Amino acid sequence: MKLTADYHTHTPYSHGKNTVLENAAAAKSKGLEELAITDHGFNHLLFGLKRKKLTCLRDEIENAQKACGIKIYMGMESNLISLDGRTDMKASDLEFFDIYLCGIHEVLRYASFSDAYNIMLKNYLAYKAGKKPSKKVIENTTRAYVEAVKNNPIDILTHINYKCFCDLKEVAKVCADYGTYIEINTKKRHVSPEELNLIASTGVRFVIDSDAHSADRVGDTKIAEQLLSEASVPLEQIDNIDGRLPDFRFARYKIRNL
């Protein structure tokens, strides 16, 4: 298995250690054809990307692309901020980006206190206690993911089920229906082999991403390789390995709507 592209990396525009150019050079040195710079979404209270810096980020990406000779997407790892599936990527933001990732994170400005309580706090308390949350909490998290995928042109759901537990099969089914990829994240192990098999049984497509916060981790696949060796997911279901490149829905959305 050889990674073709890495669609989840961070820079100092959120809390990554290395520049766009350094991430790009690392991707080039590892033989990747494509890279995405996907800093944390606007509503992250500690490390959120700033709208006023989008032009500077675009300039850095274009310069790095020319210097390294690989395709570099300008993206964002947006935050899911409400039970009805809203994210911190507003309609007016879409024109600035090439790729649209979404995940659930801590320390966010949620749409309301109720959303913060039901999406993050209840999940986080269960996580810290070493157990899964109640059936109702799982239903709420599942609803938030499902509505986000239905109502936003999200390309990739990041580290699904990490600290925020959902019905993986239901979320995977809607991703398969709408053309959203589920990420196999190699920064943290967020699903078990059995859970990965369950997700794959829906026919959803996967990408492997490093979630790199430093250039030395760009293109890393170690956790994914270990997980896949314990699961039974066909490698043909992963669209950014062995020369394959994904067909992202956000690009099609922009052609039709922007």
Side-chain angles (χ1 to χ4, degrees):
M1 182 181 77
K2 186 179 188 312
L3 199 68
T4 311
D6 190 346
Y7 296 110
H8 187 175
T9 73
H10 296 271
T11 73
Y13 282 91
S14 57
H15 68 138
K17 294 180 179 178
N18 293 98
T19 65
V20 173
L21 180 58
E22 288 168 333
N23 280 10
K28 178 72 172 180
S29 72
K30 293 180 180 179
L32 302 188
E33 296 178 21
E34 296 186 345
L35 175 74
I37 304 298
T38 53
D39 283 298
H40 286 291
F42 303 118
N43 281 31
H44 199 297
L45 295 176
L46 299 178
F47 307 118
L49 181 62
K50 307 300 183 186
R51 287 182 173 88
K52 65 183 179 181
K53 293 187 176 182
L54 293 179
T55 300
C56 292
L57 177 56
R58 174 62 73 183
D59 288 343
E60 284 196 41
I61 286 173
E62 290 182 355
N63 290 336
Q65 187 167 255
K66 291 175 184 175
C68 296
I70 65 170
K71 171 69 177 176
I72 305 177
Y73 294 83
M74 178 168 161
M76 187 172 82
E77 187 186 12
S78 67
N79 299 294
L80 205 168
I81 61 170
S82 73
L83 289 170
D84 61 6
R86 281 172 282 168
T87 80
D88 54 359
M89 181 86 84
K90 297 180 179 178
S92 57
D93 298 319
L94 296 177
E95 64 180 298
F96 295 101
F97 294 95
D98 309 314
I99 188 171
Y100 189 162
L101 278 61
C102 183
I104 296 178
H105 298 86
E106 305 161 57
V107 201
L108 297 181
R109 185 171 66 255
Y110 281 87
S112 70
F113 175 79
S114 176
D115 291 309
Y117 180 71
N118 285 294
I119 296 174
M120 176 46 65
L121 186 58
K122 285 189 173 181
N123 271 293
Y124 185 71
L125 290 175
Y127 167 79
K128 292 299 286 185
K131 60 183 182 180
K132 285 195 174 183
S134 69
K135 180 180 178 181
K136 181 63 175 177
V137 173
I138 291 173
E139 288 175 352
N140 282 336
T141 310
T142 302
R143 172 192 165 200
Y145 273 126
V146 166
E147 293 302 315
V149 171
K150 285 182 176 180
N151 296 308
N152 302 280
I154 295 167
D155 290 317
I156 303 169
L157 286 185
T158 62
H159 47 70
I160 189 171
N161 235 38
Y162 181 66
K163 297 185 181 179
C164 283
F165 302 93
C166 65
D167 184 324
L168 290 167
K169 191 168 186 178
E170 288 304 308
V171 175
K173 281 172 18 181
V174 77
C175 286
D177 288 343
Y178 281 78
T180 293
Y181 286 87
I182 288 183
E183 174 186 83
I184 303 173
N185 185 291
T186 71
K187 184 173 184 284
K188 43 202 165 238
R189 190 157 175 155
H190 55 105
V191 292
S192 69
E194 294 75 22
E195 289 171 332
L196 190 65
N197 288 340
L198 179 66
I199 294 169
S201 71
T202 68
V204 73
R205 310 298 295 180
F206 296 97
V207 291
I208 294 172
D209 286 331
S210 68
D211 194 0
H213 286 62
S214 58
D216 63 323
R217 284 208 61 257
V218 171
D220 175 70
T221 60
K222 184 177 180 180
I223 287 178
E225 290 184 34
Q226 181 181 3
L227 181 61
L228 289 164
S229 73
E230 299 168 9
S232 57
V233 177
L235 294 185
E236 292 76 16
Q237 212 164 329
I238 304 171
D239 280 357
N240 65 330
I241 62 171
D242 301 334
R244 294 191 294 277
L245 294 171
D247 178 20
F248 287 131
R249 65 183 286 205
F250 184 47
R252 299 193 301 274
Y253 174 89
K254 290 188 74 171
I255 291 171
R256 293 193 307 267
N257 298 285
L258 298 182

